[in-house]
Amino acid sequence: MTGGLTPGLTPGKALRSEFPIFEHATYLNSCSQGALSLRVRAAAEEWLDGWDENGAEWEFWVERNEAARTAFAGLIHAAPDEVAVTTSVSQGVSSLVSALDFSGERNRIVISEYEFPTVGQIAHAQALRGAEVVHVTPEADGSIPPERFADAVDERTALVCCTAVSFRTGNRHDISAIAEIGHASGAIVLADSYQAIGALELDVRTLGADVVTGGTVKYLLGSAGLGFMWLRGSLQSLLPTQTGWFADEDIFAMSIADYSPHSSARRFDSGTPPVPSLYPGTAGMEIVAEVGVPSIEAHIRGLADRLLAGLDDLGATVATPRGKDEYGPMICVVSTDPNALVAALAERQIVTSTRDSNLRVSLHLYNVEEDIDRVLDALNANRPLLAS
Ligand SMILES: Cc1ncc(COP(=O)(O)O)c(C=O)c1O
């Protein structure tokens, strides 16, 4: 396998040569997709090479699926048995809600306004099964304090959804506090951590949530098609009615006579594993694990603070809240015309993205101070596109 990383590597300059995009661009868009590394490219090619040489490598694929499960588990300080390997957050969350009964008194799903569309849409789809969806909305500063959840959660609540980091604003939820509120009413608490995993340390032993999900596209540096769902032990006996043969207690039994889900969180797996995504996904997670999430998080915080200070100097309006634990790898800047701003930055080979009226600038292990200075210079040159 190519790729020049060594364990114990520090984030920043030393990593840049592993990510060819930095030869021609300032990449600040990991919130959409992590940059491609030499190692992840080599892993994707390994999949094709194996196919060419050996045809179906079923046993090896099953091994790869287990390697992905172990890698996800390691990143969140869980045991592999507590983790389902999924093809997307959507698949995991759909199988989770398929195991819940919304026909009785406890039929509410409480979602924050910052949930990703897939979580909101899956929640609303449960209206067909008797669920009622309650939205928790942000304060004027963009934060959603736990008290807003307390207003919405009661003994009718089956599930509370509080994304770890908002894909719209970069706001971080206080998951522990929200989980306490949910648990006091007997609800299950789900934290979609797609915008956090790989960039912020997540420890399921202390996080408070009962279910944590995410995937490899963004800060885990892999491709689309691979995700995970961790479930607290007490939830691993739920019975998902949305299922598949890889969720069976014995996938090679090939029985069509019954439903016998695996005794572990594997019961939330589905069909044939996402083989083409397992190779790049595990390779991307390897890079993150070698550098270490705590050191990535500290690196990102340094860059985010440099960016915020520069934005203040420019008089820009920042949509991301400023409290110590309220922001992570993505900083959002309010723009008068966000698409025009993204295009203006792209002319300078600076890659960013937008949501709502915000420019999204996201930071990861390969970014350096020069990237921040470059984007600040470009924003200065485009001041009319910044909302004051
Ligand atoms: C917070 C969050 N959740 C989920 C997703 C994606 O969900 P899925 O894996 O179902 O495509 C994304 C990004 O695309 C996201 O930002």
Side-chain angles (χ1 to χ4, degrees), residues 71-365:
F72 282 125
L75 285 166
I76 56 173
H77 306 277
D81 268 358
E82 299 167 342
V83 173
V85 177
T86 66
T87 52
S88 63
V89 163
S90 308
Q91 184 229 307
V93 175
S94 292
S95 63
L96 171 70
V97 296
S98 81
L100 304 180
D101 177 6
F102 298 110
S103 66
E105 301 273 282
R106 197 180 276 280
N107 73 336
R108 285 195 171 176
I109 305 176
V110 171
I111 67 170
S112 90
E113 203 64 16
Y114 288 146
E115 295 313 300
F116 195 72
T118 208
V119 171
Q121 291 164 19
I122 291 168
H124 281 280
Q126 305 318 304
L128 300 171
R129 301 175 55 226
E132 202 182 304
V133 184
V134 180
H135 287 238
V136 180
T137 52
E139 311 274 272
D141 72 349
S143 67
I144 308 186
E147 302 85 72
R148 296 288 77 77
F149 282 85
D151 296 342
V153 172
D154 59 25
E155 67 289 345
R156 292 168 294 179
T157 310
L159 180 66
V160 178
C161 304
C162 54
T163 189
V165 174
S166 162
F167 77 104
R168 288 180 194 281
T169 66
N171 172 69
R172 273 167 77 176
H173 277 135
D174 183 345
I175 294 169
S176 305
I178 297 165
E180 250 180 60
I181 291 163
H183 293 161
S185 292
I188 296 169
V189 176
L190 163 71
D192 169 3
S193 70
Y194 218 134
Q195 291 289 343
I197 187 148
L200 298 177
E201 177 68 346
L202 292 172
D203 186 338
V204 293
R205 297 168 302 183
T206 53
L207 192 65
D210 305 298
V211 186
V212 176
T213 182
T216 53
V217 178
K218 303 170 196 295
Y219 300 94
L220 294 184
L221 306 172
S223 71
L226 181 61
F228 74 96
M229 187 166 72
W230 169 84
L231 296 105
R232 187 178 295 292
S234 54
L235 296 183
Q236 287 162 29
S237 56
L238 282 174
L239 287 169
T241 55
Q242 181 176 300
T243 186
W245 63 302
F246 266 72
D248 196 73
E249 63 181 354
D250 177 5
I251 52 175
F252 294 113
M254 305 276 179
S255 165
I256 60 165
D258 66 352
Y259 170 46
S260 45
H262 201 277
S263 56
S264 75
R266 284 175 181 75
R267 64 176 55 196
F268 291 91
D269 285 16
S270 181
T272 302
V275 177
S277 311
L278 289 172
Y279 288 72
T282 46
M285 285 191 272
E286 245 173 51
I287 297 175
V288 169
E290 278 176 24
V291 179
V293 179
S295 119
I296 296 171
E297 179 172 343
H299 176 74
I300 287 173
R301 179 49 68 106
L303 296 177
D305 287 344
R306 186 180 185 92
L307 177 61
L308 287 168
L311 290 168
D312 287 345
D313 290 345
L314 287 178
T317 304
V318 176
T320 314
R322 298 292 184 97
K324 181 175 145 295
D325 298 319
E326 287 182 323
Y327 62 98
M330 181 170 81
I331 302 298
C332 291
V333 186
V334 187
S335 171
T336 52
D337 186 343
N339 291 325
L341 187 52
V342 167
L345 298 183
E347 276 175 27
R348 293 168 175 244
Q349 280 72 51
I350 301 173
V351 186
T352 56
S353 55
T354 66
R355 286 290 179 273
D356 306 328
S357 53
N358 297 330
L359 172 78
R360 304 193 302 174
V361 179
S362 53
L363 311 162
H364 201 8
L365 75 184

